Short mmCIF file of all heavy atoms in Angstrom, two decimals:
data_model
loop_
_atom_site.label_atom_id
_atom_site.label_comp_id
_atom_site.label_asym_id
_atom_site.label_seq_id
_atom_site.Cartn_x
_atom_site.Cartn_y
_atom_site.Cartn_z
N GLN A 1 3.26 1.46 13.33
CA GLN A 1 2.47 0.25 13.06
C GLN A 1 2.56 -0.12 11.59
O GLN A 1 2.37 0.72 10.73
CB GLN A 1 1.02 0.49 13.45
CG GLN A 1 0.27 -0.78 13.64
CD GLN A 1 -0.93 -0.57 14.57
OE1 GLN A 1 -1.41 0.53 14.74
NE2 GLN A 1 -1.37 -1.64 15.17
N LYS A 2 2.87 -1.38 11.33
CA LYS A 2 3.01 -1.81 9.94
C LYS A 2 1.77 -2.57 9.49
O LYS A 2 1.27 -3.41 10.20
CB LYS A 2 4.23 -2.71 9.78
CG LYS A 2 5.54 -1.96 9.79
CD LYS A 2 6.68 -2.91 9.48
CE LYS A 2 8.01 -2.28 9.73
NZ LYS A 2 8.70 -1.77 8.60
N HIS A 3 1.32 -2.22 8.31
CA HIS A 3 0.15 -2.87 7.73
C HIS A 3 0.53 -3.42 6.37
O HIS A 3 1.31 -2.81 5.64
CB HIS A 3 -0.99 -1.86 7.56
CG HIS A 3 -1.43 -1.27 8.85
ND1 HIS A 3 -2.13 -1.98 9.79
CD2 HIS A 3 -1.26 -0.03 9.37
CE1 HIS A 3 -2.38 -1.20 10.83
NE2 HIS A 3 -1.85 -0.01 10.59
N GLU A 4 -0.04 -4.57 6.05
CA GLU A 4 0.24 -5.19 4.77
C GLU A 4 -1.02 -5.19 3.90
O GLU A 4 -2.09 -5.54 4.38
CB GLU A 4 0.75 -6.61 4.97
CG GLU A 4 1.52 -7.11 3.78
CD GLU A 4 2.30 -8.37 4.10
OE1 GLU A 4 1.83 -9.19 4.90
OE2 GLU A 4 3.39 -8.52 3.54
N PHE A 5 -0.85 -4.78 2.67
CA PHE A 5 -1.97 -4.71 1.73
C PHE A 5 -1.64 -5.50 0.48
O PHE A 5 -0.49 -5.55 0.06
CB PHE A 5 -2.24 -3.26 1.32
CG PHE A 5 -2.69 -2.38 2.45
CD1 PHE A 5 -1.77 -1.75 3.25
CD2 PHE A 5 -4.04 -2.21 2.70
CE1 PHE A 5 -2.19 -0.94 4.31
CE2 PHE A 5 -4.46 -1.41 3.75
CZ PHE A 5 -3.54 -0.78 4.55
N PHE A 6 -2.68 -6.08 -0.11
CA PHE A 6 -2.56 -6.69 -1.43
C PHE A 6 -2.97 -5.62 -2.43
O PHE A 6 -4.00 -4.99 -2.26
CB PHE A 6 -3.51 -7.90 -1.55
CG PHE A 6 -3.67 -8.36 -2.97
CD1 PHE A 6 -2.75 -9.22 -3.54
CD2 PHE A 6 -4.74 -7.92 -3.75
CE1 PHE A 6 -2.89 -9.63 -4.86
CE2 PHE A 6 -4.89 -8.33 -5.06
CZ PHE A 6 -3.95 -9.20 -5.62
N VAL A 7 -2.14 -5.39 -3.43
CA VAL A 7 -2.50 -4.48 -4.52
C VAL A 7 -2.19 -5.21 -5.82
O VAL A 7 -1.08 -5.70 -6.01
CB VAL A 7 -1.70 -3.15 -4.46
CG1 VAL A 7 -2.14 -2.22 -5.58
CG2 VAL A 7 -1.88 -2.46 -3.11
N ASP A 8 -3.17 -5.30 -6.69
CA ASP A 8 -3.01 -6.06 -7.93
C ASP A 8 -2.12 -5.32 -8.92
O ASP A 8 -2.59 -4.73 -9.89
CB ASP A 8 -4.39 -6.36 -8.53
CG ASP A 8 -4.29 -7.43 -9.61
OD1 ASP A 8 -3.24 -8.09 -9.70
OD2 ASP A 8 -5.26 -7.58 -10.36
N MET A 9 -0.81 -5.34 -8.66
CA MET A 9 0.17 -4.66 -9.51
C MET A 9 0.78 -5.66 -10.48
O MET A 9 1.14 -6.75 -10.07
CB MET A 9 1.29 -4.07 -8.64
CG MET A 9 0.81 -3.11 -7.59
SD MET A 9 2.17 -2.59 -6.49
CE MET A 9 2.44 -4.06 -5.51
N THR A 10 0.91 -5.25 -11.73
CA THR A 10 1.47 -6.15 -12.71
C THR A 10 2.79 -5.65 -13.30
O THR A 10 3.49 -6.39 -13.97
CB THR A 10 0.48 -6.38 -13.86
OG1 THR A 10 0.07 -5.09 -14.35
CG2 THR A 10 -0.74 -7.15 -13.39
N CYS A 11 3.11 -4.38 -13.07
CA CYS A 11 4.30 -3.82 -13.70
C CYS A 11 4.85 -2.65 -12.89
O CYS A 11 4.25 -2.24 -11.91
CB CYS A 11 3.97 -3.34 -15.11
SG CYS A 11 2.75 -2.00 -15.11
N GLU A 12 5.97 -2.11 -13.37
CA GLU A 12 6.59 -0.95 -12.71
C GLU A 12 5.63 0.24 -12.67
O GLU A 12 5.60 0.99 -11.71
CB GLU A 12 7.84 -0.53 -13.48
CG GLU A 12 9.03 -1.43 -13.25
CD GLU A 12 9.55 -1.35 -11.83
OE1 GLU A 12 9.73 -0.24 -11.31
OE2 GLU A 12 9.77 -2.42 -11.23
N GLY A 13 4.84 0.40 -13.73
CA GLY A 13 3.88 1.51 -13.78
C GLY A 13 2.90 1.43 -12.62
O GLY A 13 2.54 2.44 -12.03
N CYS A 14 2.48 0.20 -12.30
CA CYS A 14 1.55 0.00 -11.19
C CYS A 14 2.21 0.39 -9.87
O CYS A 14 1.61 1.08 -9.05
CB CYS A 14 1.13 -1.47 -11.10
SG CYS A 14 0.29 -2.09 -12.54
N SER A 15 3.44 -0.07 -9.67
CA SER A 15 4.11 0.24 -8.41
C SER A 15 4.42 1.74 -8.33
O SER A 15 4.38 2.32 -7.24
CB SER A 15 5.37 -0.60 -8.22
OG SER A 15 6.31 -0.35 -9.22
N ASN A 16 4.66 2.38 -9.46
CA ASN A 16 4.88 3.83 -9.47
C ASN A 16 3.62 4.57 -9.07
O ASN A 16 3.68 5.58 -8.37
CB ASN A 16 5.34 4.31 -10.85
CG ASN A 16 6.76 3.85 -11.18
OD1 ASN A 16 7.51 3.50 -10.28
ND2 ASN A 16 7.11 3.85 -12.44
N ALA A 17 2.47 4.05 -9.49
CA ALA A 17 1.18 4.66 -9.13
C ALA A 17 0.98 4.57 -7.61
O ALA A 17 0.54 5.52 -6.97
CB ALA A 17 0.04 3.98 -9.87
N VAL A 18 1.32 3.42 -7.04
CA VAL A 18 1.22 3.23 -5.59
C VAL A 18 2.14 4.21 -4.87
O VAL A 18 1.73 4.88 -3.92
CB VAL A 18 1.57 1.77 -5.20
CG1 VAL A 18 1.71 1.63 -3.70
CG2 VAL A 18 0.51 0.81 -5.74
N THR A 19 3.37 4.32 -5.37
CA THR A 19 4.33 5.26 -4.78
C THR A 19 3.79 6.68 -4.80
O THR A 19 3.84 7.39 -3.80
CB THR A 19 5.67 5.19 -5.55
OG1 THR A 19 6.19 3.87 -5.45
CG2 THR A 19 6.69 6.18 -4.98
N ARG A 20 3.23 7.08 -5.95
CA ARG A 20 2.68 8.44 -6.09
C ARG A 20 1.59 8.75 -5.07
O ARG A 20 1.64 9.78 -4.40
CB ARG A 20 2.13 8.66 -7.50
CG ARG A 20 3.14 9.25 -8.46
CD ARG A 20 2.46 9.87 -9.68
NE ARG A 20 1.51 8.96 -10.32
CZ ARG A 20 1.82 8.00 -11.17
NH1 ARG A 20 3.09 7.79 -11.50
NH2 ARG A 20 0.89 7.24 -11.71
N VAL A 21 0.59 7.86 -4.96
CA VAL A 21 -0.54 8.15 -4.06
C VAL A 21 -0.09 8.14 -2.60
O VAL A 21 -0.58 8.94 -1.80
CB VAL A 21 -1.76 7.21 -4.26
CG1 VAL A 21 -2.37 7.41 -5.65
CG2 VAL A 21 -1.44 5.76 -3.99
N LEU A 22 0.84 7.26 -2.25
CA LEU A 22 1.32 7.21 -0.86
C LEU A 22 2.17 8.42 -0.51
O LEU A 22 2.07 8.96 0.59
CB LEU A 22 2.09 5.91 -0.61
CG LEU A 22 1.24 4.65 -0.55
CD1 LEU A 22 2.12 3.42 -0.41
CD2 LEU A 22 0.23 4.70 0.60
N GLN A 23 2.98 8.88 -1.45
CA GLN A 23 3.79 10.07 -1.19
C GLN A 23 2.92 11.31 -1.07
O GLN A 23 3.21 12.20 -0.28
CB GLN A 23 4.85 10.25 -2.28
CG GLN A 23 6.00 9.28 -2.12
CD GLN A 23 7.03 9.36 -3.23
OE1 GLN A 23 6.73 9.83 -4.33
NE2 GLN A 23 8.22 8.87 -2.97
N LYS A 24 1.83 11.34 -1.82
CA LYS A 24 0.90 12.46 -1.76
C LYS A 24 0.22 12.50 -0.38
O LYS A 24 -0.01 13.56 0.17
CB LYS A 24 -0.15 12.32 -2.87
CG LYS A 24 -0.78 13.65 -3.28
CD LYS A 24 -1.70 13.48 -4.46
CE LYS A 24 -0.94 13.56 -5.77
NZ LYS A 24 -1.85 13.53 -6.93
N LEU A 25 -0.08 11.32 0.16
CA LEU A 25 -0.70 11.22 1.48
C LEU A 25 0.27 11.73 2.55
O LEU A 25 -0.12 12.47 3.43
CB LEU A 25 -1.09 9.76 1.76
CG LEU A 25 -1.72 9.45 3.11
CD1 LEU A 25 -3.06 10.16 3.26
CD2 LEU A 25 -1.90 7.95 3.29
N GLY A 26 1.52 11.33 2.45
CA GLY A 26 2.53 11.77 3.40
C GLY A 26 2.50 10.99 4.70
O GLY A 26 1.50 10.34 5.02
N GLY A 27 3.58 11.07 5.45
CA GLY A 27 3.66 10.41 6.75
C GLY A 27 3.67 8.89 6.67
O GLY A 27 3.21 8.22 7.58
N VAL A 28 4.20 8.36 5.57
CA VAL A 28 4.25 6.91 5.40
C VAL A 28 5.63 6.45 4.99
O VAL A 28 6.33 7.13 4.24
CB VAL A 28 3.23 6.42 4.33
CG1 VAL A 28 1.81 6.61 4.78
CG2 VAL A 28 3.44 7.12 3.00
N ASN A 29 6.03 5.30 5.51
CA ASN A 29 7.20 4.58 5.02
C ASN A 29 6.64 3.30 4.44
O ASN A 29 5.80 2.67 5.08
CB ASN A 29 8.18 4.25 6.14
CG ASN A 29 8.95 5.48 6.58
OD1 ASN A 29 9.32 6.32 5.76
ND2 ASN A 29 9.17 5.60 7.87
N PHE A 30 7.08 2.92 3.26
CA PHE A 30 6.48 1.74 2.65
C PHE A 30 7.46 0.97 1.79
O PHE A 30 8.45 1.52 1.33
CB PHE A 30 5.25 2.11 1.82
CG PHE A 30 5.53 3.11 0.72
CD1 PHE A 30 5.81 2.68 -0.56
CD2 PHE A 30 5.50 4.46 0.98
CE1 PHE A 30 6.08 3.58 -1.57
CE2 PHE A 30 5.77 5.38 -0.03
CZ PHE A 30 6.06 4.94 -1.30
N ASP A 31 7.18 -0.31 1.65
CA ASP A 31 7.94 -1.19 0.77
C ASP A 31 6.96 -1.81 -0.20
O ASP A 31 5.89 -2.26 0.21
CB ASP A 31 8.60 -2.32 1.56
CG ASP A 31 9.75 -1.81 2.41
OD1 ASP A 31 10.61 -1.10 1.86
OD2 ASP A 31 9.77 -2.12 3.61
N ILE A 32 7.34 -1.84 -1.45
CA ILE A 32 6.50 -2.45 -2.47
C ILE A 32 7.14 -3.76 -2.92
O ILE A 32 8.30 -3.77 -3.30
CB ILE A 32 6.29 -1.51 -3.68
CG1 ILE A 32 5.56 -0.25 -3.21
CG2 ILE A 32 5.53 -2.22 -4.79
CD1 ILE A 32 5.40 0.80 -4.29
N ASP A 33 6.39 -4.84 -2.80
CA ASP A 33 6.84 -6.16 -3.24
C ASP A 33 6.06 -6.50 -4.49
O ASP A 33 4.98 -7.08 -4.42
CB ASP A 33 6.58 -7.16 -2.11
CG ASP A 33 7.02 -8.57 -2.48
OD1 ASP A 33 7.40 -8.80 -3.64
OD2 ASP A 33 6.97 -9.43 -1.59
N LEU A 34 6.59 -6.07 -5.64
CA LEU A 34 5.88 -6.22 -6.91
C LEU A 34 5.58 -7.67 -7.28
O LEU A 34 4.44 -7.99 -7.61
CB LEU A 34 6.65 -5.49 -8.02
CG LEU A 34 5.98 -5.36 -9.39
CD1 LEU A 34 4.60 -4.72 -9.29
CD2 LEU A 34 6.85 -4.56 -10.33
N PRO A 35 6.57 -8.59 -7.19
CA PRO A 35 6.28 -9.99 -7.58
C PRO A 35 5.14 -10.61 -6.78
O PRO A 35 4.36 -11.38 -7.32
CB PRO A 35 7.60 -10.72 -7.31
CG PRO A 35 8.64 -9.65 -7.30
CD PRO A 35 7.98 -8.40 -6.81
N ASN A 36 5.05 -10.27 -5.49
CA ASN A 36 4.00 -10.86 -4.65
C ASN A 36 2.79 -9.95 -4.51
O ASN A 36 1.86 -10.27 -3.76
CB ASN A 36 4.58 -11.20 -3.27
CG ASN A 36 5.59 -12.31 -3.37
OD1 ASN A 36 5.35 -13.33 -4.01
ND2 ASN A 36 6.75 -12.11 -2.77
N LYS A 37 2.81 -8.82 -5.21
CA LYS A 37 1.68 -7.87 -5.21
C LYS A 37 1.32 -7.42 -3.80
O LYS A 37 0.14 -7.37 -3.44
CB LYS A 37 0.46 -8.49 -5.91
CG LYS A 37 0.77 -8.92 -7.33
CD LYS A 37 -0.46 -9.40 -8.06
CE LYS A 37 -0.11 -9.78 -9.49
NZ LYS A 37 -1.25 -10.07 -10.30
N LYS A 38 2.34 -7.11 -3.01
CA LYS A 38 2.10 -6.66 -1.64
C LYS A 38 2.74 -5.31 -1.40
O LYS A 38 3.80 -5.01 -1.95
CB LYS A 38 2.69 -7.66 -0.65
CG LYS A 38 1.89 -8.93 -0.53
CD LYS A 38 2.49 -9.84 0.50
CE LYS A 38 1.77 -11.18 0.54
NZ LYS A 38 2.48 -12.14 1.38
N VAL A 39 2.06 -4.52 -0.57
CA VAL A 39 2.62 -3.24 -0.14
C VAL A 39 2.59 -3.24 1.38
O VAL A 39 1.54 -3.46 1.98
CB VAL A 39 1.79 -2.05 -0.68
CG1 VAL A 39 2.40 -0.73 -0.23
CG2 VAL A 39 1.69 -2.10 -2.21
N CYS A 40 3.75 -3.03 1.99
CA CYS A 40 3.84 -2.98 3.44
C CYS A 40 4.04 -1.51 3.82
O CYS A 40 4.97 -0.87 3.35
CB CYS A 40 5.03 -3.82 3.91
SG CYS A 40 5.17 -3.86 5.69
N ILE A 41 3.13 -1.00 4.64
CA ILE A 41 3.14 0.42 5.00
C ILE A 41 3.32 0.60 6.49
O ILE A 41 2.60 -0.01 7.29
CB ILE A 41 1.82 1.10 4.55
CG1 ILE A 41 1.60 0.89 3.05
CG2 ILE A 41 1.87 2.60 4.88
CD1 ILE A 41 0.27 1.41 2.55
N ASP A 42 4.26 1.46 6.85
CA ASP A 42 4.50 1.82 8.24
C ASP A 42 3.99 3.25 8.39
O ASP A 42 4.55 4.18 7.81
CB ASP A 42 6.00 1.75 8.52
CG ASP A 42 6.31 1.94 9.99
OD1 ASP A 42 5.39 2.20 10.77
OD2 ASP A 42 7.50 1.84 10.34
N SER A 43 2.89 3.43 9.15
CA SER A 43 2.25 4.74 9.19
C SER A 43 1.35 4.90 10.41
O SER A 43 0.88 3.92 10.98
CB SER A 43 1.42 4.91 7.92
OG SER A 43 0.61 6.05 8.02
N GLU A 44 1.10 6.15 10.76
CA GLU A 44 0.16 6.47 11.84
C GLU A 44 -1.27 6.56 11.30
O GLU A 44 -2.21 6.64 12.07
CB GLU A 44 0.53 7.82 12.48
CG GLU A 44 1.86 7.81 13.22
CD GLU A 44 1.87 6.85 14.40
OE1 GLU A 44 0.92 6.88 15.20
OE2 GLU A 44 2.83 6.06 14.51
N HIS A 45 -1.41 6.60 9.98
CA HIS A 45 -2.74 6.70 9.37
C HIS A 45 -3.56 5.45 9.68
O HIS A 45 -3.00 4.37 9.90
CB HIS A 45 -2.65 6.86 7.85
CG HIS A 45 -2.05 8.17 7.43
ND1 HIS A 45 -2.71 9.37 7.56
CD2 HIS A 45 -0.85 8.46 6.87
CE1 HIS A 45 -1.94 10.34 7.10
NE2 HIS A 45 -0.81 9.82 6.68
N THR A 46 -4.88 5.58 9.66
CA THR A 46 -5.75 4.42 9.89
C THR A 46 -5.70 3.49 8.68
O THR A 46 -5.36 3.92 7.57
CB THR A 46 -7.21 4.84 10.11
OG1 THR A 46 -7.69 5.44 8.91
CG2 THR A 46 -7.35 5.81 11.27
N VAL A 47 -6.07 2.25 8.90
CA VAL A 47 -6.14 1.27 7.81
C VAL A 47 -7.10 1.77 6.73
O VAL A 47 -6.83 1.66 5.54
CB VAL A 47 -6.58 -0.11 8.35
CG1 VAL A 47 -6.90 -1.06 7.20
CG2 VAL A 47 -5.49 -0.70 9.22
N ASP A 48 -8.23 2.33 7.16
CA ASP A 48 -9.22 2.84 6.19
C ASP A 48 -8.62 3.91 5.29
O ASP A 48 -8.84 3.90 4.08
CB ASP A 48 -10.44 3.41 6.93
CG ASP A 48 -11.31 2.32 7.54
OD1 ASP A 48 -11.15 1.15 7.13
OD2 ASP A 48 -12.13 2.63 8.41
N THR A 49 -7.88 4.83 5.90
CA THR A 49 -7.25 5.90 5.12
C THR A 49 -6.26 5.32 4.12
O THR A 49 -6.24 5.70 2.95
CB THR A 49 -6.52 6.88 6.06
OG1 THR A 49 -7.47 7.43 6.97
CG2 THR A 49 -5.85 8.00 5.29
N LEU A 50 -5.45 4.38 4.58
CA LEU A 50 -4.45 3.76 3.70
C LEU A 50 -5.11 2.99 2.56
O LEU A 50 -4.69 3.08 1.41
CB LEU A 50 -3.52 2.84 4.51
CG LEU A 50 -2.67 3.55 5.56
CD1 LEU A 50 -1.97 2.53 6.44
CD2 LEU A 50 -1.66 4.48 4.92
N LEU A 51 -6.17 2.27 2.90
CA LEU A 51 -6.88 1.48 1.89
C LEU A 51 -7.52 2.39 0.84
O LEU A 51 -7.40 2.15 -0.36
CB LEU A 51 -7.94 0.60 2.57
CG LEU A 51 -8.52 -0.55 1.76
CD1 LEU A 51 -7.44 -1.46 1.22
CD2 LEU A 51 -9.49 -1.35 2.62
N GLU A 52 -8.18 3.46 1.31
CA GLU A 52 -8.79 4.42 0.38
C GLU A 52 -7.72 5.03 -0.54
O GLU A 52 -7.95 5.22 -1.72
CB GLU A 52 -9.51 5.54 1.15
CG GLU A 52 -10.85 5.12 1.71
CD GLU A 52 -11.76 4.49 0.66
OE1 GLU A 52 -12.00 5.13 -0.39
OE2 GLU A 52 -12.23 3.37 0.89
N THR A 53 -6.57 5.35 0.04
CA THR A 53 -5.48 5.94 -0.73
C THR A 53 -4.99 4.97 -1.80
O THR A 53 -4.83 5.34 -2.96
CB THR A 53 -4.32 6.34 0.21
OG1 THR A 53 -4.82 7.28 1.17
CG2 THR A 53 -3.17 6.98 -0.57
N LEU A 54 -4.78 3.71 -1.41
CA LEU A 54 -4.31 2.71 -2.38
C LEU A 54 -5.34 2.47 -3.48
O LEU A 54 -4.98 2.22 -4.62
CB LEU A 54 -3.99 1.38 -1.66
CG LEU A 54 -2.73 1.41 -0.79
CD1 LEU A 54 -2.64 0.15 0.04
CD2 LEU A 54 -1.48 1.56 -1.65
N LYS A 55 -6.62 2.58 -3.13
CA LYS A 55 -7.67 2.35 -4.14
C LYS A 55 -7.68 3.44 -5.20
O LYS A 55 -8.20 3.23 -6.30
CB LYS A 55 -9.05 2.26 -3.46
CG LYS A 55 -9.24 0.92 -2.79
CD LYS A 55 -10.62 0.77 -2.17
CE LYS A 55 -10.78 -0.62 -1.59
NZ LYS A 55 -12.02 -0.77 -0.81
N LYS A 56 -7.08 4.59 -4.90
CA LYS A 56 -7.00 5.68 -5.88
C LYS A 56 -6.17 5.28 -7.09
O LYS A 56 -6.24 5.92 -8.12
CB LYS A 56 -6.41 6.94 -5.24
CG LYS A 56 -7.35 7.62 -4.29
CD LYS A 56 -6.70 8.84 -3.68
CE LYS A 56 -7.62 9.44 -2.59
NZ LYS A 56 -6.91 10.45 -1.80
N THR A 57 -5.38 4.22 -6.97
CA THR A 57 -4.59 3.75 -8.11
C THR A 57 -5.48 3.05 -9.13
O THR A 57 -5.06 2.79 -10.24
CB THR A 57 -3.49 2.76 -7.66
OG1 THR A 57 -4.12 1.62 -7.04
CG2 THR A 57 -2.51 3.40 -6.69
N GLY A 58 -6.70 2.70 -8.72
CA GLY A 58 -7.60 1.98 -9.62
C GLY A 58 -7.35 0.48 -9.61
O GLY A 58 -7.97 -0.27 -10.35
N LYS A 59 -6.44 0.04 -8.75
CA LYS A 59 -6.12 -1.39 -8.68
C LYS A 59 -7.00 -2.08 -7.65
O LYS A 59 -7.46 -1.48 -6.70
CB LYS A 59 -4.66 -1.59 -8.25
CG LYS A 59 -3.66 -0.87 -9.13
CD LYS A 59 -3.45 -1.60 -10.42
CE LYS A 59 -2.67 -0.75 -11.40
NZ LYS A 59 -3.20 -0.85 -12.74
N ASN A 60 -7.17 -3.38 -7.83
CA ASN A 60 -7.86 -4.20 -6.85
C ASN A 60 -6.97 -4.25 -5.61
O ASN A 60 -5.82 -4.64 -5.68
CB ASN A 60 -8.06 -5.60 -7.44
CG ASN A 60 -8.86 -6.50 -6.54
OD1 ASN A 60 -9.38 -6.06 -5.51
ND2 ASN A 60 -8.95 -7.74 -6.90
N THR A 61 -7.52 -3.81 -4.48
CA THR A 61 -6.73 -3.65 -3.25
C THR A 61 -7.45 -4.27 -2.07
O THR A 61 -8.67 -4.15 -1.96
CB THR A 61 -6.54 -2.14 -2.97
OG1 THR A 61 -5.97 -1.52 -4.11
CG2 THR A 61 -5.64 -1.90 -1.78
N SER A 62 -6.71 -4.94 -1.19
CA SER A 62 -7.34 -5.44 0.03
C SER A 62 -6.33 -5.42 1.17
O SER A 62 -5.11 -5.43 0.95
CB SER A 62 -7.89 -6.85 -0.17
OG SER A 62 -6.86 -7.71 -0.59
N TYR A 63 -6.86 -5.37 2.38
CA TYR A 63 -6.03 -5.33 3.58
C TYR A 63 -5.70 -6.74 4.02
O TYR A 63 -6.60 -7.57 4.19
CB TYR A 63 -6.79 -4.58 4.68
CG TYR A 63 -6.04 -4.45 5.98
CD1 TYR A 63 -4.75 -3.91 6.00
CD2 TYR A 63 -6.61 -4.84 7.17
CE1 TYR A 63 -4.06 -3.78 7.20
CE2 TYR A 63 -5.93 -4.70 8.38
CZ TYR A 63 -4.65 -4.17 8.38
OH TYR A 63 -3.97 -4.05 9.55
N LEU A 64 -4.42 -7.03 4.19
CA LEU A 64 -4.00 -8.39 4.57
C LEU A 64 -3.82 -8.53 6.08
O LEU A 64 -3.90 -9.62 6.61
CB LEU A 64 -2.68 -8.74 3.87
CG LEU A 64 -2.75 -8.81 2.34
CD1 LEU A 64 -1.37 -9.01 1.76
CD2 LEU A 64 -3.69 -9.92 1.89
N GLY A 65 -3.57 -7.43 6.77
CA GLY A 65 -3.42 -7.49 8.21
C GLY A 65 -2.18 -6.77 8.70
O GLY A 65 -1.39 -6.25 7.92
N GLU A 66 -2.03 -6.75 10.02
CA GLU A 66 -0.87 -6.12 10.61
C GLU A 66 0.34 -6.99 10.40
O GLU A 66 0.23 -8.21 10.40
CB GLU A 66 -1.09 -5.89 12.11
CG GLU A 66 -1.99 -4.72 12.40
CD GLU A 66 -2.15 -4.51 13.91
OE1 GLU A 66 -1.21 -4.84 14.66
OE2 GLU A 66 -3.20 -4.02 14.30
N LYS A 67 1.46 -6.34 10.25
CA LYS A 67 2.70 -7.08 10.07
C LYS A 67 3.56 -6.84 11.30
O LYS A 67 3.79 -5.70 11.69
CB LYS A 67 3.41 -6.57 8.82
CG LYS A 67 4.51 -7.50 8.38
CD LYS A 67 4.98 -7.15 6.99
CE LYS A 67 6.06 -8.15 6.60
NZ LYS A 67 6.50 -8.02 5.25
N SER A 68 3.98 -7.91 11.94
CA SER A 68 4.84 -7.73 13.11
C SER A 68 6.20 -7.23 12.68
O SER A 68 6.71 -7.63 11.63
CB SER A 68 4.96 -9.05 13.88
OG SER A 68 5.19 -10.11 12.97
N ALA A 69 6.74 -6.34 13.45
CA ALA A 69 8.01 -5.67 13.10
C ALA A 69 9.14 -6.68 12.93
O ALA A 69 9.17 -7.69 13.60
CB ALA A 69 8.37 -4.66 14.16
#
């Protein structure tokens, strides 16, 4: 299941922070769209878990919805 999140990323450092927290969580495939400040995650984890994980970056984060494959 693919989920799309808004993460207020402004630079490579921000996207690296997102990469770090998601890799630590494990069991995720993700794409980071830095210019549009979006992260698309393919995972079995719940939306709540993913959102909490992304919030660990300290960035403003919100759930945009499911993304059709």
Side-chain angles (χ1 to χ4, degrees):
Q1 199 155 23
K2 284 186 191 260
H3 299 289
E4 201 166 34
F5 295 87
F6 167 83
V7 182
D8 193 14
M9 302 174 287
T10 52
C11 63
E12 284 293 313
C14 299
S15 62
N16 289 341
V18 170
T19 299
R20 268 199 309 278
V21 296
L22 288 175
Q23 284 176 338
K24 205 175 274 186
L25 179 64
V28 292
N29 285 322
F30 58 94
D31 289 310
I32 297 175
D33 180 352
L34 188 55
N36 293 312
K37 303 185 178 188
K38 286 182 185 171
V39 180
C40 182
I41 304 175
D42 187 356
S43 170
E44 294 297 312
H45 293 289
T46 64
V47 169
D48 287 343
T49 301
L50 296 171
L51 196 54
E52 283 307 306
T53 301
L54 289 170
K55 283 183 177 172
K56 287 179 186 169
T57 60
K59 305 283 169 221
N60 184 7
T61 305
S62 58
Y63 180 54
L64 296 173
E66 283 182 30
K67 194 167 182 174
S68 45

